[in-house]
Amino acid sequence: MNRQLFGILLFCLVVLSANCQKNQSSSYNISNSGDGKLSTHHMTINNDGTSLEIKYAGEVRFNDDETAIQSLDPKGGLLYRKNDQKLIAETDNKGNIVYEMYDGGTKLSIETAAGKQFLANIIKDLVNHGIDAKGSVERLYKKGGSSAVLNRVETLKSDYAKGIYLDHLLQQPSLASAELSTIAEKAGTLMSSDYEKAKVLSKSTERFMAEPKAAQAYFAAAKTINSDYEKAKVLKGVLAHNLSIELYDQAISLTRDIHSDYEKAGVLKSMIEKGKLEGENYQKLLDVVTLIHSDYEKAGVAMRLIDKGIPNKQAYDQLIKVSSQINSDYEQARVLKRLLDQPIPAGVDFEQVLGLLNNIASDYEKAGVMKKISNKELSPDQWVSLIQATSGVSSNYEKSGILVQIARLMPKNEKTEEAYRQAAKTVSSDYEFGKVMRALE
């Protein structure tokens, strides 16, 4: 690759790059150029008086002892600049690697001992920043297994580099459960970036979940993620797999640590879709639902749970409790209507259901719920209780609408008709009162 072409490539890198800030002093960017087959990379780091810039195109491979460049992409190249040190490496027309090196104002030759040492020092720095991570992992793993790779990870400069190494390590086919557990532990303790940590965990979720002890370490690492968005992303990835009841329980527990109502609700909805709500897990999930402050998000999760079916009276009672914690009349009414679409299990306290109407201030929303109740199969006493509950509706229009529907659906007997007439007396509008009484005829 001639110098003019490589120079044009490096310029294009600068133009194409939109540096993604990782912290106050460093940035990293990857962009594709040409036909998409040649990836280009640009890294800049400014920290503690050190200015570092690394640009390379295509694959860069180091030799076994990581003291020289073994191969470069024929169309690629490498630029390294650290303060007053500079290295340019590219290939000539015959495929040989050509070096241009400067230490301060002094040009160095690769044929000299000083030049070779200069190159070796630069390659060590390149390795520490994740360049040729795949090759480095292969070399280290061949020599000393996962321990050798993890020892290298502890020396790396950035979470980005650590993430690349851990990702390549996790692609090794013969990792034992204990090794997977150690890798998850290192991801949780050695990396401070939530983004990089989540990326490592998410890419190998299935492998971790297949080993119970490794899965425990995985959840422990995920717990160290502070970002609600990243933690939720990891959990949703976990829920995409077939989990045991025990692992599902772990996922529920970790969801409690998510502060964002939106992210927490998203994870809970994924859990509901996957099932595994047997026994205590149903209660545990509902306990997490109660931690949601947003009425909209809480109602959305509750309705998703209702749509999956209510297994027993205890679950129905728990859902009633959740709906009572919703302050919005509209959202609470939505949940209650959805709840009333399901059969009411035997033994549920009907008065408790009616009692929820006291939490709804809106006559319109209250009337909508009462009409839903009137469509259920009720006992004579329950009909009387429902009719009496209409006294809590202030609007003559809404009250008459409820009573007219009740008159059409209720069993006609002395108790229900007497309760109905008493309720009709609370309608102060002559017009609405007339509609109510005619409905009883």
Side-chain angles (χ1 to χ4, degrees):
M1 179 178 184
N2 62 51
R3 184 166 303 178
Q4 183 180 11
L5 181 57
F6 184 55
I8 292 171
L9 177 60
L10 295 180
F11 174 77
C12 290
L13 272 169
V14 176
V15 174
L16 292 172
S17 294
N19 286 338
C20 177
Q21 195 71 22
K22 293 294 179 186
N23 54 52
Q24 291 183 347
S25 60
S26 66
S27 61
Y28 183 84
N29 174 266
I30 299 177
S31 58
N32 293 320
S33 66
D35 58 6
K37 295 180 180 179
L38 184 69
S39 61
T40 57
H41 310 254
H42 182 199
M43 181 186 301
T44 59
I45 297 176
N46 296 284
N47 190 25
D48 296 333
T50 299
S51 176
L52 173 65
E53 181 178 22
I54 301 170
K55 296 179 183 180
Y56 61 101
E59 186 179 33
V60 178
R61 296 282 288 192
F62 301 131
N63 61 5
D64 285 345
D65 57 2
E66 297 178 346
T67 58
I69 299 174
Q70 179 173 294
S71 64
L72 286 173
D73 192 294
K75 296 181 180 180
L78 169 70
L79 168 67
Y80 172 95
R81 184 185 288 114
K82 184 175 184 180
N83 295 341
D84 59 355
Q85 295 181 334
K86 182 179 178 181
L87 163 70
I88 295 177
E90 53 192 350
T91 57
D92 61 18
N93 293 332
K94 296 180 180 180
N96 299 315
I97 298 174
V98 179
Y99 299 98
E100 186 174 338
M101 303 181 294
Y102 295 89
D103 189 2
T106 304
K107 185 174 183 178
L108 302 177
S109 170
I110 192 61
E111 301 301 328
T112 66
K116 288 182 171 61
Q117 186 60 53
F118 182 81
L119 177 62
N121 292 339
I122 287 177
I123 289 177
K124 181 178 180 181
D125 202 24
L126 289 169
V127 167
N128 285 336
H129 285 93
I131 313 304
D132 189 26
K134 181 179 180 181
S136 183
V137 168
E138 290 173 353
R139 290 187 291 270
L140 290 167
Y141 191 78
K142 185 177 180 180
K143 293 176 182 178
S146 61
S147 297
V149 179
L150 292 174
N151 287 338
R152 169 68 61 81
V153 171
E154 293 185 2
T155 70
L156 298 177
K157 301 290 187 181
S158 68
D159 286 340
Y160 170 78
K162 293 173 185 176
I164 295 176
Y165 270 71
L166 291 176
D167 182 41
H168 285 303
L169 176 57
L170 285 165
Q171 293 176 28
Q172 301 304 312
S174 57
L175 294 172
S177 176
E179 290 177 294
L180 289 169
S181 298
T182 302
I183 294 170
E185 179 187 348
K186 294 297 183 182
T189 58
L190 295 180
M191 305 173 72
S192 58
S193 165
D194 290 333
Y195 172 78
E196 299 297 347
K197 192 181 298 185
K199 187 164 69 171
V200 169
L201 294 175
S202 297
K203 281 187 176 181
S204 300
T205 301
E206 184 174 8
R207 195 165 190 186
F208 283 106
M209 293 302 112
E211 300 287 344
K213 290 185 178 179
Q216 293 295 324
Y218 181 98
F219 280 113
K223 190 176 179 66
T224 67
I225 298 174
N226 295 309
S227 163
D228 288 336
Y229 173 79
E230 297 298 345
K231 187 175 289 184
K233 186 168 68 174
V234 168
L235 279 168
K236 288 177 182 177
V238 168
L239 292 166
H241 301 280
N242 186 26
L243 303 180
S244 66
I245 296 295
E246 292 74 21
L247 293 180
Y248 191 85
D249 178 64
Q250 288 285 313
I252 294 175
S253 297
L254 188 56
T255 307
R256 297 178 69 93
D257 294 340
I258 298 176
H259 298 96
S260 162
D261 288 338
Y262 174 79
E263 299 297 348
K264 184 178 290 181
V267 174
L268 290 172
K269 288 175 183 177
S270 295
M271 288 181 177
I272 292 166
E273 291 305 312
K274 289 298 177 181
K276 306 288 185 183
L277 294 175
E278 296 89 344
E280 293 182 358
N281 278 341
Y282 198 100
Q283 176 63 57
K284 289 179 179 178
L285 188 142
L286 279 173
D287 287 344
V288 179
V289 176
T290 63
L291 300 177
I292 299 175
H293 297 95
S294 162
D295 288 335
Y296 173 79
E297 298 297 350
K298 185 179 289 184
V301 175
M303 288 189 290
R304 188 71 62 89
L305 194 55
I306 291 168
D307 289 344
K308 292 293 285 186
I310 305 172
N312 50 47
K313 172 187 176 298
Q314 183 182 9
Y316 200 94
D317 289 340
Q318 291 165 345
L319 285 163
I320 289 175
K321 181 180 177 181
V322 168
S323 66
S324 71
Q325 298 170 346
I326 298 174
N327 296 312
S328 163
D329 290 342
Y330 173 75
E331 297 298 348
Q332 186 175 25
R334 281 210 305 158
V335 173
L336 289 174
K337 289 175 187 176
R338 194 69 63 89
L339 191 59
L340 290 164
D341 284 336
Q342 301 289 329
I344 300 177
V348 170
D349 185 356
F350 186 72
E351 297 300 325
Q352 184 183 13
V353 178
L354 289 180
L356 293 174
L357 297 171
N358 296 327
N359 298 331
I360 301 176
S362 164
D363 286 335
Y364 174 79
E365 299 297 350
K366 188 179 294 186
V369 175
M370 296 182 81
K371 288 176 181 177
K372 273 282 187 181
I373 296 174
S374 70
N375 285 312
K376 308 297 289 183
E377 291 186 11
L378 305 178
S379 68
D381 287 342
Q382 289 173 337
W383 276 110
V384 170
S385 294
L386 176 61
I387 294 167
Q388 291 172 344
T390 62
S391 63
V393 178
S394 302
S395 163
N396 288 314
Y397 174 78
E398 298 296 349
K399 185 182 294 185
S400 68
I402 302 166
L403 288 170
V404 167
Q405 178 164 315
I406 287 175
R408 188 175 69 252
L409 298 172
M410 73 178 188
K412 302 295 193 301
N413 58 54
E414 184 177 345
K415 288 180 66 175
T416 57
E417 291 185 10
E418 176 59 24
Y420 186 91
R421 292 188 179 91
Q422 292 299 317
K425 292 178 182 179
T426 66
V427 179
S428 57
S429 163
D430 290 341
Y431 174 74
E432 299 297 345
F433 176 77
K435 284 201 306 184
V436 170
M437 292 309 296
R438 286 193 295 274
L440 191 61
E441 297 174 355

PDB file of all heavy atoms in Angstrom, residues 48 100 109 134 140 155 157 210 226 294 327 345 354 390 395:
ATOM      1  N   ASP A  48      -3.737  12.892  31.617  1.00  0.00           N
ATOM      2  CA  ASP A  48      -2.544  13.109  32.453  1.00  0.00           C
ATOM      3  C   ASP A  48      -1.330  13.547  31.641  1.00  0.00           C
ATOM      4  O   ASP A  48      -0.211  13.036  31.813  1.00  0.00           O
ATOM      5  CB  ASP A  48      -2.205  11.835  33.236  1.00  0.00           C
ATOM      6  CG  ASP A  48      -3.296  11.463  34.228  1.00  0.00           C
ATOM      7  OD1 ASP A  48      -4.013  12.382  34.690  1.00  0.00           O
ATOM      8  OD2 ASP A  48      -3.439  10.267  34.524  1.00  0.00           O
ATOM      9  N   GLU A 100       7.989   3.240   9.531  1.00  0.00           N
ATOM     10  CA  GLU A 100       8.552   4.579   9.636  1.00  0.00           C
ATOM     11  C   GLU A 100       8.378   4.995  11.094  1.00  0.00           C
ATOM     12  O   GLU A 100       7.248   5.091  11.581  1.00  0.00           O
ATOM     13  CB  GLU A 100       7.855   5.548   8.702  1.00  0.00           C
ATOM     14  CG  GLU A 100       8.508   6.918   8.660  1.00  0.00           C
ATOM     15  CD  GLU A 100       7.885   7.829   7.613  1.00  0.00           C
ATOM     16  OE1 GLU A 100       7.274   7.318   6.665  1.00  0.00           O
ATOM     17  OE2 GLU A 100       8.015   9.062   7.771  1.00  0.00           O
ATOM     18  N   SER A 109      15.535   3.240  12.646  1.00  0.00           N
ATOM     19  CA  SER A 109      15.485   2.155  11.670  1.00  0.00           C
ATOM     20  C   SER A 109      15.103   0.857  12.365  1.00  0.00           C
ATOM     21  O   SER A 109      15.569   0.557  13.460  1.00  0.00           O
ATOM     22  CB  SER A 109      16.851   1.991  10.994  1.00  0.00           C
ATOM     23  OG  SER A 109      16.878   0.790  10.223  1.00  0.00           O
ATOM     24  N   LYS A 134      -8.064 -10.434  19.410  1.00  0.00           N
ATOM     25  CA  LYS A 134      -8.380 -11.822  19.084  1.00  0.00           C
ATOM     26  C   LYS A 134      -7.115 -12.669  19.040  1.00  0.00           C
ATOM     27  O   LYS A 134      -7.050 -13.760  19.627  1.00  0.00           O
ATOM     28  CB  LYS A 134      -9.108 -11.886  17.748  1.00  0.00           C
ATOM     29  CG  LYS A 134      -9.492 -13.293  17.335  1.00  0.00           C
ATOM     30  CD  LYS A 134     -10.236 -13.289  15.999  1.00  0.00           C
ATOM     31  CE  LYS A 134     -10.604 -14.713  15.595  1.00  0.00           C
ATOM     32  NZ  LYS A 134     -11.309 -14.732  14.281  1.00  0.00           N
ATOM     33  N   LEU A 140      -2.421 -16.248  24.252  1.00  0.00           N
ATOM     34  CA  LEU A 140      -2.391 -16.415  25.709  1.00  0.00           C
ATOM     35  C   LEU A 140      -3.115 -17.688  26.139  1.00  0.00           C
ATOM     36  O   LEU A 140      -2.646 -18.422  27.020  1.00  0.00           O
ATOM     37  CB  LEU A 140      -3.034 -15.199  26.382  1.00  0.00           C
ATOM     38  CG  LEU A 140      -2.241 -13.889  26.306  1.00  0.00           C
ATOM     39  CD1 LEU A 140      -3.119 -12.712  26.719  1.00  0.00           C
ATOM     40  CD2 LEU A 140      -1.014 -13.961  27.207  1.00  0.00           C
ATOM     41  N   THR A 155      -4.393  -5.906  33.234  1.00  0.00           N
ATOM     42  CA  THR A 155      -3.392  -4.887  32.917  1.00  0.00           C
ATOM     43  C   THR A 155      -3.849  -3.918  31.836  1.00  0.00           C
ATOM     44  O   THR A 155      -3.166  -2.931  31.570  1.00  0.00           O
ATOM     45  CB  THR A 155      -2.080  -5.544  32.450  1.00  0.00           C
ATOM     46  OG1 THR A 155      -2.281  -6.146  31.158  1.00  0.00           O
ATOM     47  CG2 THR A 155      -1.624  -6.611  33.428  1.00  0.00           C
ATOM     48  N   LYS A 157      -5.723  -1.057  29.557  1.00  0.00           N
ATOM     49  CA  LYS A 157      -5.923   0.347  29.876  1.00  0.00           C
ATOM     50  C   LYS A 157      -7.387   0.764  29.975  1.00  0.00           C
ATOM     51  O   LYS A 157      -7.737   1.635  30.767  1.00  0.00           O
ATOM     52  CB  LYS A 157      -5.237   1.214  28.804  1.00  0.00           C
ATOM     53  CG  LYS A 157      -3.737   0.986  28.667  1.00  0.00           C
ATOM     54  CD  LYS A 157      -2.989   1.502  29.864  1.00  0.00           C
ATOM     55  CE  LYS A 157      -1.477   1.416  29.640  1.00  0.00           C
ATOM     56  NZ  LYS A 157      -0.722   1.891  30.797  1.00  0.00           N
ATOM     57  N   ALA A 210     -26.520 -21.770  30.803  1.00  0.00           N
ATOM     58  CA  ALA A 210     -26.487 -23.234  30.706  1.00  0.00           C
ATOM     59  C   ALA A 210     -25.782 -23.875  31.894  1.00  0.00           C
ATOM     60  O   ALA A 210     -25.899 -25.093  32.109  1.00  0.00           O
ATOM     61  CB  ALA A 210     -25.809 -23.661  29.407  1.00  0.00           C
ATOM     62  N   ASN A 226     -24.872  -0.051  36.968  1.00  0.00           N
ATOM     63  CA  ASN A 226     -25.656   1.047  37.549  1.00  0.00           C
ATOM     64  C   ASN A 226     -26.703   1.597  36.593  1.00  0.00           C
ATOM     65  O   ASN A 226     -27.766   2.060  37.028  1.00  0.00           O
ATOM     66  CB  ASN A 226     -24.724   2.180  37.985  1.00  0.00           C
ATOM     67  CG  ASN A 226     -23.805   1.760  39.121  1.00  0.00           C
ATOM     68  OD1 ASN A 226     -24.249   1.224  40.129  1.00  0.00           O
ATOM     69  ND2 ASN A 226     -22.502   1.983  38.960  1.00  0.00           N
ATOM     70  N   SER A 294     -44.892   5.200  38.420  1.00  0.00           N
ATOM     71  CA  SER A 294     -45.717   5.700  37.321  1.00  0.00           C
ATOM     72  C   SER A 294     -47.010   4.905  37.219  1.00  0.00           C
ATOM     73  O   SER A 294     -47.000   3.676  37.083  1.00  0.00           O
ATOM     74  CB  SER A 294     -44.943   5.587  36.000  1.00  0.00           C
ATOM     75  OG  SER A 294     -45.804   5.667  34.887  1.00  0.00           O
ATOM     76  N   ASN A 327     -53.031   5.856  41.387  1.00  0.00           N
ATOM     77  CA  ASN A 327     -53.715   7.108  41.716  1.00  0.00           C
ATOM     78  C   ASN A 327     -54.552   7.663  40.572  1.00  0.00           C
ATOM     79  O   ASN A 327     -55.573   8.316  40.802  1.00  0.00           O
ATOM     80  CB  ASN A 327     -52.688   8.162  42.139  1.00  0.00           C
ATOM     81  CG  ASN A 327     -51.959   7.769  43.415  1.00  0.00           C
ATOM     82  OD1 ASN A 327     -52.579   7.375  44.398  1.00  0.00           O
ATOM     83  ND2 ASN A 327     -50.636   7.854  43.397  1.00  0.00           N
ATOM     84  N   PRO A 345     -62.614 -15.464  40.797  1.00  0.00           N
ATOM     85  CA  PRO A 345     -62.462 -16.762  41.485  1.00  0.00           C
ATOM     86  C   PRO A 345     -63.381 -16.867  42.697  1.00  0.00           C
ATOM     87  O   PRO A 345     -63.719 -15.857  43.341  1.00  0.00           O
ATOM     88  CB  PRO A 345     -60.990 -16.762  41.908  1.00  0.00           C
ATOM     89  CG  PRO A 345     -60.315 -15.784  41.001  1.00  0.00           C
ATOM     90  CD  PRO A 345     -61.339 -14.723  40.745  1.00  0.00           C
ATOM     91  N   LEU A 354     -65.824  -3.804  45.122  1.00  0.00           N
ATOM     92  CA  LEU A 354     -66.609  -2.565  45.101  1.00  0.00           C
ATOM     93  C   LEU A 354     -65.903  -1.440  45.844  1.00  0.00           C
ATOM     94  O   LEU A 354     -66.035  -0.268  45.483  1.00  0.00           O
ATOM     95  CB  LEU A 354     -67.990  -2.804  45.726  1.00  0.00           C
ATOM     96  CG  LEU A 354     -68.988  -3.644  44.933  1.00  0.00           C
ATOM     97  CD1 LEU A 354     -70.296  -3.786  45.708  1.00  0.00           C
ATOM     98  CD2 LEU A 354     -69.253  -3.010  43.569  1.00  0.00           C
ATOM     99  N   THR A 390     -73.958   2.779  43.675  1.00  0.00           N
ATOM    100  CA  THR A 390     -74.195   3.866  42.730  1.00  0.00           C
ATOM    101  C   THR A 390     -74.394   5.204  43.436  1.00  0.00           C
ATOM    102  O   THR A 390     -74.270   6.256  42.798  1.00  0.00           O
ATOM    103  CB  THR A 390     -75.429   3.587  41.845  1.00  0.00           C
ATOM    104  OG1 THR A 390     -76.600   3.500  42.676  1.00  0.00           O
ATOM    105  CG2 THR A 390     -75.248   2.303  41.063  1.00  0.00           C
ATOM    106  N   SER A 395     -72.691  12.448  39.320  1.00  0.00           N
ATOM    107  CA  SER A 395     -73.304  12.880  38.064  1.00  0.00           C
ATOM    108  C   SER A 395     -74.634  12.163  37.834  1.00  0.00           C
ATOM    109  O   SER A 395     -74.691  10.922  37.829  1.00  0.00           O
ATOM    110  CB  SER A 395     -72.353  12.593  36.901  1.00  0.00           C
ATOM    111  OG  SER A 395     -73.019  12.632  35.669  1.00  0.00           O
TER     112      SER A 395
END
